[in-house]
Amino acid sequence: MEHYRSLKTLQQDLLTKKISVSTFTHQTISNISSNKHLNAFVEVFEESALASAKIIDEKIQNGQPLGKLFGLTIAIKDNIVYKNHRATGASKILEGFISPYSATVVERLLEEDAIIIGSTNCDEFAMGGSNENSYYGAVLNPHDTTRVSGGSSGGSAVAVAANLCLAALGSDTGGSIRQPASFCGIVGLKPTYGRVSRYGLMAYGSSFDQIGTFTHNIEDAALILEIFSGKDDYDATCSPRKVPEFSKQLSTDKKYKIAYYKNALTHQGVDEEVSNACHQFIEKMKMEGHVVDAIEFDELEYIVPAYYVLTTAEASSNLSRYDGVKYGYRADDASDLESTYKKTRTQGFGKEVQRRIMSGTFVLSAGYYDAYYAKAQKVRRIVAEKTYKTLEDYDFILCPTAPTPAYKIGEVQDSVASFLGDIFTVQANMAGIPGISLPLFRTTEGLPIGIQLMTARWKEEKLLAFSQHLLQKFELQ
Ligand code: GLN
């Protein structure tokens, strides 16, 4: 089967009848099934995907108007709901849950004739950075199946990287799109907080969470973003501002001002090849005539602790809805309301989720609130203000996406060590700014290394246009 890596190419072949949407969808499904060992999908929505494909084929046949995404096979992270389909957030506690409604993003994709091909594996309720915290087990990295996919949206990253679909949705609370995109060698985009509706996304840290995309290229990311962004009456944090046509503004030959943090590249946890890749990138940018400055970022050491205080606090509240009464799994050895709560939550939540709920409850508790939660809020404000100030002077902040390439499955055992892997991604969520990971480098062993660019809020058009330029200049694949 021919692997399509761009929607434009697929759509040309569909319009010239080189292939039908149904045939393509069938091929995609059988390809997913022959790559089951990667563990990228939780479920393939075979019936509804083939039904959508048939309708689109009829439209093509009859010359009827087609949606902008016609034929796009797109997977959704298992924490995004689709009406009448299962969604579990990769947690046992949602076993058997079938969603009575669709997320706004899913509705908007379907309106444009996309095909929702299935749900993808992830860390339980998006808590993790390696996909090893999933009820369904780890996802294997297609570049080296002994290594992790990254996380939490590991299944979505692998689904795209292994050509099991053209695009996938993920959620990014502290790096869950950008980091697995970096580990898997594809494009991962986290939009501005408030750009995309979170209605229908299982909440983790509501003031951080944002839905975004995994794609092979920038055109597809831009098109999907412009389609699913914008005002939604079901999410008050979703901005009513007009959504630009990102996909039509992808060319740029401007000279930009780029900042990078000196201490980021010399940080002890940063792999040498990752730091070399950044230095190489910086040199190329300078040679192209961009201004690249090293600046200070003294708060680098504080952002991960502050992030974990704030997100676990929010999670402890958000996850209280899973109690064995309203959704999914219920312990059958419980005898009254309290034991139902206790046993269901003990049996239904995995260890990492339990730890986070407990630490979130702790940092919010009466005696510790000021020392932890209130303090972390102050750190967040300082980081955000500093970020906005930097982005008044510079077009982009440049960083590695992750300190290392994909590590071995089982290699990082304790959660605190894994938290340090988020050091370069959480800033964008703390400040609500957009960030993208671009697959620009490889290690000598051939593992992908992502370069991350961040820009000011609502400036995705600039971020996407420059990313397009970079991928065209540097692309390795
Ligand atoms: N690794 C981070 C965490 O575990 C980020 C997760 C995410 O972005 N959903 O919180």
Side-chain angles (χ1 to χ4, degrees), residues 77 79 123 125-130 133 151-153 171-179 204-205 208-209 307-308 311-312 352 356 418-419 421-422 425-426 429:
K77 186 175 178 178
N79 64 352
D123 283 304
F125 290 118
M127 295 178 189
S130 67
N133 297 338
S152 65
S153 318
S171 64
D172 190 312
T173 306
S176 278
I177 292 176
R178 290 159 289 156
Q179 186 255 29
Y204 161 17
F208 295 78
D209 300 339
Y307 166 84
Y308 277 97
T311 51
T312 55
E352 182 61 23
R356 294 198 190 196
S418 90
F419 294 173
D422 302 330
T425 43
V426 296
N429 307 76

Side-chain angles (χ1 to χ4, degrees), residues 74 84 126 135 160 173 186 220 320 334 340 350 434 477:
I74 186 162
N84 297 332
Y135 179 49
V160 173
T173 306
I186 53 173
D220 292 354
S320 65
T340 302
Q477 293 163 18

Side-chain angles (χ1 to χ4, degrees), residues 76-154:
I76 56 175
K77 186 175 178 178
D78 195 39
N79 64 352
I80 297 172
V81 300
Y82 178 13
K83 189 173 177 169
N84 297 332
H85 292 73
R86 269 189 283 271
T88 68
S91 180
K92 177 177 176 174
I93 213 160
L94 278 180
E95 208 166 54
F97 172 70
I98 295 178
S99 179
Y101 71 103
S102 288
T104 299
V105 289
V106 168
E107 294 276 4
R108 291 184 184 171
L109 293 177
L110 289 170
E111 271 163 27
E112 293 294 342
D113 289 335
I115 295 167
I116 314 286
I117 197 81
S119 58
T120 49
N121 200 345
C122 56
D123 283 304
E124 185 176 0
F125 290 118
M127 295 178 189
S130 67
N131 216 122
E132 290 166 290
N133 297 338
S134 165
Y135 179 49
Y136 308 107
V139 176
L140 312 190
N141 191 314
H143 298 275
D144 173 350
T145 52
T146 64
R147 289 177 190 271
V148 300
S149 55
S152 65
S153 318

Side-chain angles (χ1 to χ4, degrees), residues 326-378:
K326 300 186 276 296
Y327 314 97
Y329 176 76
R330 177 183 300 169
D332 52 17
D333 52 346
S335 49
D336 57 9
L337 187 64
E338 193 170 329
S339 65
T340 302
Y341 287 165
K342 265 197 194 153
K343 293 198 164 171
T344 300
R345 292 160 69 84
T346 306
Q347 294 163 22
F349 286 134
K351 284 285 167 268
E352 182 61 23
V353 170
Q354 292 186 12
R355 263 195 295 272
R356 294 198 190 196
I357 294 173
M358 285 190 285
S359 92
T361 318
F362 174 76
V363 300
L364 288 173
S365 60
Y368 297 100
Y369 185 92
D370 285 340
Y372 294 104
Y373 186 73
K375 203 174 204 174
Q377 286 287 29
K378 287 180 193 156

